[in-house]
Amino acid sequence: MRFMSIVTSTDFLQPSPALMEAIHKLADREIKAGRMIDTAGLMPLATGARVTIKDRKLSVVDGPFVEAKEVVGGYAIFELQSKEEAVALAVEFMQLHKDLMPGWEGTCEVRPYFEPNAEGVCDPLAEARA
């Protein structure tokens, strides 16, 4: 089952060299185990843009975004056996931040991918019913 972990924080802080080294070791381990498919950190909001549809109008706004309360800082995609396994990896990842970046506050959200059933229809609750 495929999962995405999404890391959010209230602001962008440059990770310390020690944290980056620890994250790279964790990622290397998971890639070698065949469990991590992709991962990346994202640049600050000032470097991005938002494309929005509101009231049937499409608009583009360059960052930074003053109304942003949480910022997506990065993501990882895993192929795992269970939600519990995905949560355990998220806990390990967040513990690195707690230990190596004191004062940082954030969240790591874990969400499974939609997976089509035999008829090709996505059913996000199929595992829960099984």
Side-chain angles (χ1 to χ4, degrees), residues 7-65:
V7 179
T8 58
S9 182
T10 55
D11 58 329
F12 179 87
L13 294 175
Q14 184 67 37
S16 68
L19 177 59
M20 287 306 300
E21 182 180 338
I23 289 171
H24 286 154
K25 283 181 182 176
L26 176 63
D28 188 53
R29 181 192 81 200
E30 293 303 312
I31 290 167
K32 286 178 179 173
R35 295 163 23 123
M36 181 179 278
I37 296 167
D38 190 24
T39 187
L42 302 175
M43 295 296 290
L45 290 176
T47 64
R50 282 189 179 160
V51 180
T52 304
I53 298 173
K54 185 174 180 178
D55 297 326
R56 299 183 46 86
K57 294 180 184 173
L58 193 135
S59 64
V60 178
V61 176
D62 285 328
F65 313 111

Short mmCIF file of all heavy atoms in Angstrom, two decimals, residues 7-65:
data_model
loop_
_atom_site.label_atom_id
_atom_site.label_comp_id
_atom_site.label_asym_id
_atom_site.label_seq_id
_atom_site.Cartn_x
_atom_site.Cartn_y
_atom_site.Cartn_z
N VAL A 7 4.99 16.94 5.53
CA VAL A 7 5.48 17.68 6.69
C VAL A 7 5.06 19.14 6.55
O VAL A 7 5.31 19.77 5.53
CB VAL A 7 7.01 17.58 6.80
CG1 VAL A 7 7.52 18.38 7.99
CG2 VAL A 7 7.44 16.13 6.90
N THR A 8 4.40 19.64 7.60
CA THR A 8 3.98 21.04 7.62
C THR A 8 4.52 21.72 8.87
O THR A 8 4.77 21.09 9.89
CB THR A 8 2.44 21.19 7.59
OG1 THR A 8 1.88 20.51 8.71
CG2 THR A 8 1.86 20.64 6.31
N SER A 9 4.69 23.04 8.76
CA SER A 9 5.14 23.85 9.88
C SER A 9 4.55 25.24 9.72
O SER A 9 4.04 25.58 8.64
CB SER A 9 6.67 23.93 9.89
OG SER A 9 7.12 24.66 11.01
N THR A 10 4.62 26.03 10.77
CA THR A 10 4.09 27.39 10.68
C THR A 10 5.05 28.34 9.98
O THR A 10 4.66 29.41 9.57
CB THR A 10 3.75 27.93 12.09
OG1 THR A 10 4.92 27.84 12.90
CG2 THR A 10 2.62 27.15 12.71
N ASP A 11 6.32 27.95 9.87
CA ASP A 11 7.28 28.79 9.16
C ASP A 11 8.41 27.94 8.60
O ASP A 11 8.59 26.79 8.98
CB ASP A 11 7.84 29.90 10.06
CG ASP A 11 8.51 29.36 11.31
OD1 ASP A 11 8.09 28.30 11.81
OD2 ASP A 11 9.46 30.00 11.80
N PHE A 12 9.17 28.53 7.71
CA PHE A 12 10.28 27.82 7.07
C PHE A 12 11.55 28.07 7.86
O PHE A 12 11.94 29.22 8.08
CB PHE A 12 10.46 28.30 5.63
CG PHE A 12 11.61 27.63 4.92
CD1 PHE A 12 11.43 26.43 4.26
CD2 PHE A 12 12.88 28.20 4.94
CE1 PHE A 12 12.49 25.80 3.61
CE2 PHE A 12 13.95 27.59 4.29
CZ PHE A 12 13.74 26.39 3.63
N LEU A 13 12.19 27.01 8.31
CA LEU A 13 13.49 27.12 8.96
C LEU A 13 14.46 26.21 8.22
O LEU A 13 14.11 25.08 7.88
CB LEU A 13 13.42 26.67 10.43
CG LEU A 13 12.59 27.53 11.37
CD1 LEU A 13 12.53 26.88 12.75
CD2 LEU A 13 13.16 28.93 11.47
N GLN A 14 15.64 26.71 7.97
CA GLN A 14 16.67 25.90 7.32
C GLN A 14 17.08 24.78 8.27
O GLN A 14 17.45 25.05 9.40
CB GLN A 14 17.87 26.77 6.95
CG GLN A 14 18.95 26.05 6.19
CD GLN A 14 18.50 25.64 4.80
OE1 GLN A 14 17.79 26.36 4.13
NE2 GLN A 14 18.93 24.48 4.37
N PRO A 15 16.99 23.52 7.84
CA PRO A 15 17.41 22.41 8.71
C PRO A 15 18.90 22.51 9.04
O PRO A 15 19.71 22.94 8.22
CB PRO A 15 17.14 21.16 7.87
CG PRO A 15 16.19 21.60 6.82
CD PRO A 15 16.47 23.05 6.56
N SER A 16 19.24 22.10 10.25
CA SER A 16 20.65 22.09 10.67
C SER A 16 21.40 21.02 9.89
O SER A 16 20.81 20.04 9.42
CB SER A 16 20.75 21.82 12.17
OG SER A 16 20.33 20.48 12.44
N PRO A 17 22.71 21.15 9.76
CA PRO A 17 23.50 20.10 9.09
C PRO A 17 23.33 18.74 9.75
O PRO A 17 23.25 17.72 9.06
CB PRO A 17 24.95 20.62 9.20
CG PRO A 17 24.80 22.09 9.29
CD PRO A 17 23.54 22.33 10.08
N ALA A 18 23.24 18.71 11.08
CA ALA A 18 23.06 17.42 11.78
C ALA A 18 21.72 16.79 11.43
O ALA A 18 21.63 15.57 11.22
CB ALA A 18 23.16 17.63 13.29
N LEU A 19 20.67 17.62 11.34
CA LEU A 19 19.35 17.09 10.97
C LEU A 19 19.38 16.58 9.53
O LEU A 19 18.86 15.50 9.24
CB LEU A 19 18.27 18.15 11.14
CG LEU A 19 16.86 17.73 10.72
CD1 LEU A 19 16.38 16.51 11.51
CD2 LEU A 19 15.88 18.89 10.90
N MET A 20 19.98 17.33 8.62
CA MET A 20 20.05 16.90 7.22
C MET A 20 20.79 15.57 7.10
O MET A 20 20.37 14.68 6.35
CB MET A 20 20.71 17.97 6.35
CG MET A 20 19.84 19.19 6.12
SD MET A 20 18.19 18.81 5.44
CE MET A 20 18.61 18.03 3.92
N GLU A 21 21.88 15.40 7.84
CA GLU A 21 22.64 14.15 7.81
C GLU A 21 21.78 12.99 8.32
O GLU A 21 21.75 11.91 7.71
CB GLU A 21 23.91 14.27 8.64
CG GLU A 21 24.76 13.02 8.62
CD GLU A 21 26.02 13.16 9.46
OE1 GLU A 21 26.47 14.28 9.74
OE2 GLU A 21 26.55 12.10 9.84
N ALA A 22 21.05 13.22 9.40
CA ALA A 22 20.20 12.17 9.97
C ALA A 22 19.05 11.82 9.01
O ALA A 22 18.72 10.64 8.84
CB ALA A 22 19.65 12.62 11.32
N ILE A 23 18.46 12.82 8.38
CA ILE A 23 17.38 12.57 7.41
C ILE A 23 17.92 11.78 6.22
O ILE A 23 17.27 10.85 5.75
CB ILE A 23 16.74 13.90 6.96
CG1 ILE A 23 15.92 14.50 8.11
CG2 ILE A 23 15.86 13.69 5.73
CD1 ILE A 23 15.42 15.92 7.83
N HIS A 24 19.09 12.13 5.74
CA HIS A 24 19.68 11.40 4.61
C HIS A 24 19.98 9.95 4.97
O HIS A 24 19.78 9.05 4.15
CB HIS A 24 20.94 12.11 4.09
CG HIS A 24 20.63 13.35 3.32
ND1 HIS A 24 21.50 14.39 3.20
CD2 HIS A 24 19.52 13.73 2.62
CE1 HIS A 24 20.96 15.35 2.47
NE2 HIS A 24 19.75 14.97 2.12
N LYS A 25 20.42 9.70 6.18
CA LYS A 25 20.67 8.32 6.63
C LYS A 25 19.37 7.53 6.67
O LYS A 25 19.31 6.38 6.23
CB LYS A 25 21.33 8.31 8.01
CG LYS A 25 22.80 8.64 7.98
CD LYS A 25 23.40 8.57 9.38
CE LYS A 25 24.86 8.96 9.36
NZ LYS A 25 25.44 8.98 10.71
N LEU A 26 18.31 8.15 7.21
CA LEU A 26 17.00 7.50 7.26
C LEU A 26 16.49 7.22 5.85
O LEU A 26 16.04 6.10 5.55
CB LEU A 26 16.00 8.37 8.03
CG LEU A 26 14.57 7.88 8.10
CD1 LEU A 26 14.47 6.55 8.86
CD2 LEU A 26 13.68 8.93 8.77
N ALA A 27 16.58 8.20 4.97
CA ALA A 27 16.12 8.02 3.59
C ALA A 27 16.93 6.94 2.88
O ALA A 27 16.36 6.08 2.18
CB ALA A 27 16.21 9.34 2.83
N ASP A 28 18.24 6.95 3.06
CA ASP A 28 19.09 5.95 2.43
C ASP A 28 18.69 4.54 2.89
O ASP A 28 18.59 3.62 2.09
CB ASP A 28 20.55 6.23 2.76
CG ASP A 28 21.50 5.34 1.98
OD1 ASP A 28 21.39 5.30 0.74
OD2 ASP A 28 22.36 4.69 2.62
N ARG A 29 18.45 4.38 4.19
CA ARG A 29 18.02 3.09 4.72
C ARG A 29 16.71 2.63 4.08
O ARG A 29 16.58 1.48 3.66
CB ARG A 29 17.86 3.20 6.24
CG ARG A 29 17.45 1.89 6.91
CD ARG A 29 17.02 2.08 8.34
NE ARG A 29 15.64 2.56 8.39
CZ ARG A 29 15.11 3.17 9.44
NH1 ARG A 29 15.82 3.42 10.52
NH2 ARG A 29 13.85 3.55 9.40
N GLU A 30 15.75 3.55 3.99
CA GLU A 30 14.43 3.19 3.45
C GLU A 30 14.48 2.95 1.95
O GLU A 30 13.75 2.09 1.43
CB GLU A 30 13.41 4.26 3.82
CG GLU A 30 13.13 4.35 5.31
CD GLU A 30 12.66 3.02 5.88
OE1 GLU A 30 11.76 2.39 5.30
OE2 GLU A 30 13.20 2.60 6.93
N ILE A 31 15.32 3.66 1.23
CA ILE A 31 15.47 3.43 -0.22
C ILE A 31 16.10 2.06 -0.46
O ILE A 31 15.63 1.29 -1.28
CB ILE A 31 16.31 4.55 -0.86
CG1 ILE A 31 15.50 5.86 -0.89
CG2 ILE A 31 16.75 4.16 -2.27
CD1 ILE A 31 16.32 7.09 -1.22
N LYS A 32 17.16 1.75 0.30
CA LYS A 32 17.82 0.45 0.15
C LYS A 32 16.88 -0.70 0.51
O LYS A 32 16.98 -1.79 -0.06
CB LYS A 32 19.09 0.39 1.00
CG LYS A 32 20.22 1.20 0.42
CD LYS A 32 21.45 1.17 1.29
CE LYS A 32 22.56 1.99 0.65
NZ LYS A 32 23.72 2.13 1.53
N ALA A 33 15.96 -0.48 1.44
CA ALA A 33 14.98 -1.51 1.84
C ALA A 33 13.85 -1.61 0.82
O ALA A 33 13.00 -2.50 0.93
CB ALA A 33 14.42 -1.20 3.22
N GLY A 34 13.82 -0.70 -0.16
CA GLY A 34 12.78 -0.73 -1.18
C GLY A 34 11.45 -0.17 -0.71
O GLY A 34 10.43 -0.37 -1.35
N ARG A 35 11.47 0.57 0.40
CA ARG A 35 10.22 1.09 0.96
C ARG A 35 9.96 2.54 0.58
O ARG A 35 8.82 2.96 0.48
CB ARG A 35 10.24 0.94 2.49
CG ARG A 35 10.28 -0.51 2.91
CD ARG A 35 10.70 -0.79 4.34
NE ARG A 35 10.58 0.24 5.32
CZ ARG A 35 9.88 0.13 6.45
NH1 ARG A 35 9.21 -0.97 6.71
NH2 ARG A 35 9.84 1.11 7.32
N MET A 36 11.02 3.33 0.39
CA MET A 36 10.85 4.74 0.04
C MET A 36 10.93 4.89 -1.47
O MET A 36 11.87 4.44 -2.11
CB MET A 36 11.90 5.62 0.70
CG MET A 36 11.72 7.10 0.37
SD MET A 36 12.94 8.17 1.17
CE MET A 36 12.19 8.34 2.78
N ILE A 37 9.91 5.53 -2.04
CA ILE A 37 9.83 5.73 -3.48
C ILE A 37 10.39 7.09 -3.87
O ILE A 37 11.10 7.24 -4.86
CB ILE A 37 8.38 5.58 -3.96
CG1 ILE A 37 7.93 4.14 -3.69
CG2 ILE A 37 8.22 5.97 -5.41
CD1 ILE A 37 6.45 3.93 -3.81
N ASP A 38 10.07 8.13 -3.08
CA ASP A 38 10.50 9.48 -3.40
C ASP A 38 10.42 10.33 -2.14
O ASP A 38 9.63 10.04 -1.24
CB ASP A 38 9.62 10.09 -4.49
CG ASP A 38 10.15 11.40 -5.04
OD1 ASP A 38 11.37 11.65 -4.95
OD2 ASP A 38 9.34 12.19 -5.57
N THR A 39 11.23 11.37 -2.08
CA THR A 39 11.18 12.33 -0.98
C THR A 39 11.80 13.63 -1.45
O THR A 39 12.65 13.63 -2.34
CB THR A 39 11.91 11.80 0.27
OG1 THR A 39 11.67 12.72 1.35
CG2 THR A 39 13.39 11.65 0.05
N ALA A 40 11.37 14.73 -0.85
CA ALA A 40 11.96 16.03 -1.16
C ALA A 40 11.54 17.04 -0.12
O ALA A 40 10.46 16.94 0.45
CB ALA A 40 11.55 16.51 -2.55
N GLY A 41 12.41 18.01 0.09
CA GLY A 41 12.07 19.18 0.87
C GLY A 41 11.69 20.29 -0.10
O GLY A 41 12.13 20.28 -1.25
N LEU A 42 10.87 21.20 0.36
CA LEU A 42 10.40 22.28 -0.51
C LEU A 42 11.00 23.61 -0.07
O LEU A 42 11.26 23.83 1.12
CB LEU A 42 8.88 22.36 -0.48
CG LEU A 42 8.16 21.07 -0.92
CD1 LEU A 42 6.66 21.21 -0.74
CD2 LEU A 42 8.51 20.72 -2.35
N MET A 43 11.21 24.49 -1.02
CA MET A 43 11.77 25.81 -0.76
C MET A 43 10.71 26.69 -0.08
O MET A 43 9.53 26.36 -0.08
CB MET A 43 12.23 26.44 -2.08
CG MET A 43 13.38 25.68 -2.75
SD MET A 43 14.88 25.69 -1.76
CE MET A 43 15.37 27.40 -1.91
N PRO A 44 11.13 27.85 0.46
CA PRO A 44 10.18 28.74 1.15
C PRO A 44 9.08 29.25 0.22
O PRO A 44 9.22 29.24 -1.01
CB PRO A 44 11.06 29.91 1.60
CG PRO A 44 12.45 29.38 1.60
CD PRO A 44 12.50 28.32 0.54
N LEU A 45 7.99 29.70 0.83
CA LEU A 45 6.83 30.19 0.08
C LEU A 45 7.18 31.32 -0.88
O LEU A 45 6.56 31.45 -1.94
CB LEU A 45 5.75 30.69 1.04
CG LEU A 45 5.03 29.63 1.86
CD1 LEU A 45 4.05 30.28 2.82
CD2 LEU A 45 4.31 28.65 0.96
N ALA A 46 8.14 32.13 -0.54
CA ALA A 46 8.51 33.26 -1.40
C ALA A 46 8.96 32.81 -2.78
O ALA A 46 8.89 33.57 -3.73
CB ALA A 46 9.62 34.09 -0.74
N THR A 47 9.39 31.56 -2.91
CA THR A 47 9.88 31.07 -4.20
C THR A 47 8.78 30.42 -5.04
O THR A 47 9.04 30.02 -6.17
CB THR A 47 11.00 30.03 -3.98
OG1 THR A 47 10.45 28.89 -3.31
CG2 THR A 47 12.14 30.61 -3.17
N GLY A 48 7.57 30.33 -4.51
CA GLY A 48 6.50 29.62 -5.19
C GLY A 48 5.43 30.52 -5.77
O GLY A 48 5.55 31.75 -5.78
N ALA A 49 4.37 29.90 -6.25
CA ALA A 49 3.20 30.59 -6.78
C ALA A 49 1.98 29.73 -6.49
O ALA A 49 2.09 28.52 -6.29
CB ALA A 49 3.34 30.81 -8.28
N ARG A 50 0.83 30.36 -6.44
CA ARG A 50 -0.44 29.66 -6.26
C ARG A 50 -1.34 29.93 -7.45
O ARG A 50 -1.49 31.08 -7.87
CB ARG A 50 -1.16 30.14 -5.00
CG ARG A 50 -0.62 29.58 -3.73
CD ARG A 50 -1.53 29.91 -2.57
NE ARG A 50 -0.98 29.34 -1.36
CZ ARG A 50 -1.28 29.73 -0.16
NH1 ARG A 50 -2.15 30.72 0.01
NH2 ARG A 50 -0.76 29.15 0.89
N VAL A 51 -1.92 28.87 -7.96
CA VAL A 51 -2.91 28.99 -9.03
C VAL A 51 -4.25 28.59 -8.41
O VAL A 51 -4.39 27.47 -7.90
CB VAL A 51 -2.56 28.07 -10.22
CG1 VAL A 51 -3.59 28.20 -11.32
CG2 VAL A 51 -1.16 28.38 -10.75
N THR A 52 -5.21 29.51 -8.43
CA THR A 52 -6.47 29.34 -7.71
C THR A 52 -7.66 29.55 -8.64
O THR A 52 -7.59 30.39 -9.53
CB THR A 52 -6.55 30.36 -6.55
OG1 THR A 52 -5.41 30.20 -5.72
CG2 THR A 52 -7.80 30.18 -5.73
N ILE A 53 -8.72 28.80 -8.37
CA ILE A 53 -10.01 29.05 -9.01
C ILE A 53 -10.98 29.45 -7.92
O ILE A 53 -11.16 28.71 -6.94
CB ILE A 53 -10.55 27.80 -9.75
CG1 ILE A 53 -9.60 27.39 -10.87
CG2 ILE A 53 -11.96 28.08 -10.28
CD1 ILE A 53 -9.97 26.07 -11.53
N LYS A 54 -11.57 30.63 -8.07
CA LYS A 54 -12.56 31.12 -7.11
C LYS A 54 -13.59 31.92 -7.89
O LYS A 54 -13.22 32.75 -8.72
CB LYS A 54 -11.89 31.98 -6.04
CG LYS A 54 -12.86 32.42 -4.96
CD LYS A 54 -12.15 33.15 -3.84
CE LYS A 54 -13.19 33.54 -2.81
NZ LYS A 54 -12.60 34.21 -1.68
N ASP A 55 -14.85 31.65 -7.60
CA ASP A 55 -15.94 32.31 -8.33
C ASP A 55 -15.76 32.17 -9.84
O ASP A 55 -15.94 33.12 -10.59
CB ASP A 55 -16.05 33.79 -7.93
CG ASP A 55 -16.40 33.98 -6.47
OD1 ASP A 55 -17.15 33.14 -5.93
OD2 ASP A 55 -15.91 34.96 -5.88
N ARG A 56 -15.34 30.96 -10.26
CA ARG A 56 -15.16 30.61 -11.67
C ARG A 56 -14.05 31.41 -12.36
O ARG A 56 -13.96 31.45 -13.57
CB ARG A 56 -16.47 30.72 -12.44
CG ARG A 56 -17.54 29.78 -11.89
CD ARG A 56 -18.84 29.80 -12.69
NE ARG A 56 -18.68 29.73 -14.12
CZ ARG A 56 -18.56 28.60 -14.83
NH1 ARG A 56 -18.57 27.45 -14.23
NH2 ARG A 56 -18.47 28.65 -16.14
N LYS A 57 -13.19 32.07 -11.57
CA LYS A 57 -12.07 32.83 -12.12
C LYS A 57 -10.76 32.18 -11.70
O LYS A 57 -10.60 31.79 -10.55
CB LYS A 57 -12.10 34.28 -11.65
CG LYS A 57 -13.29 35.04 -12.18
CD LYS A 57 -13.27 36.46 -11.69
CE LYS A 57 -14.54 37.16 -12.18
NZ LYS A 57 -14.68 38.49 -11.61
N LEU A 58 -9.84 32.09 -12.64
CA LEU A 58 -8.53 31.53 -12.38
C LEU A 58 -7.55 32.66 -12.16
O LEU A 58 -7.53 33.63 -12.91
CB LEU A 58 -8.10 30.68 -13.58
CG LEU A 58 -6.90 29.79 -13.34
CD1 LEU A 58 -7.17 28.40 -13.90
CD2 LEU A 58 -5.68 30.38 -13.97
N SER A 59 -6.74 32.54 -11.09
CA SER A 59 -5.75 33.58 -10.81
C SER A 59 -4.43 32.94 -10.41
O SER A 59 -4.38 31.81 -9.94
CB SER A 59 -6.23 34.53 -9.71
OG SER A 59 -6.37 33.81 -8.49
N VAL A 60 -3.35 33.69 -10.62
CA VAL A 60 -2.01 33.26 -10.25
C VAL A 60 -1.43 34.33 -9.33
O VAL A 60 -1.43 35.51 -9.67
CB VAL A 60 -1.11 33.08 -11.49
CG1 VAL A 60 0.30 32.69 -11.07
CG2 VAL A 60 -1.70 32.06 -12.44
N VAL A 61 -0.92 33.88 -8.17
CA VAL A 61 -0.31 34.80 -7.21
C VAL A 61 1.07 34.26 -6.86
O VAL A 61 1.20 33.09 -6.50
CB VAL A 61 -1.17 34.91 -5.93
CG1 VAL A 61 -0.49 35.80 -4.90
CG2 VAL A 61 -2.56 35.42 -6.25
N ASP A 62 2.09 35.12 -6.99
CA ASP A 62 3.43 34.74 -6.58
C ASP A 62 3.56 34.81 -5.07
O ASP A 62 2.91 35.62 -4.42
CB ASP A 62 4.48 35.66 -7.22
CG ASP A 62 4.69 35.35 -8.69
OD1 ASP A 62 4.56 34.18 -9.07
OD2 ASP A 62 4.97 36.29 -9.46
N GLY A 63 4.42 33.93 -4.50
CA GLY A 63 4.67 33.93 -3.07
C GLY A 63 5.50 35.13 -2.68
O GLY A 63 6.02 35.83 -3.54
N PRO A 64 5.63 35.44 -1.41
CA PRO A 64 5.07 34.69 -0.28
C PRO A 64 3.57 34.96 -0.13
O PRO A 64 3.05 35.90 -0.70
CB PRO A 64 5.84 35.23 0.91
CG PRO A 64 6.20 36.63 0.54
CD PRO A 64 6.40 36.60 -0.96
N PHE A 65 2.93 34.09 0.62
CA PHE A 65 1.49 34.15 0.80
C PHE A 65 1.21 34.56 2.24
O PHE A 65 1.39 33.77 3.16
CB PHE A 65 0.85 32.80 0.49
CG PHE A 65 1.37 32.21 -0.80
CD1 PHE A 65 2.17 31.09 -0.78
CD2 PHE A 65 1.09 32.81 -2.01
CE1 PHE A 65 2.66 30.56 -1.95
CE2 PHE A 65 1.59 32.29 -3.20
CZ PHE A 65 2.38 31.16 -3.16
#
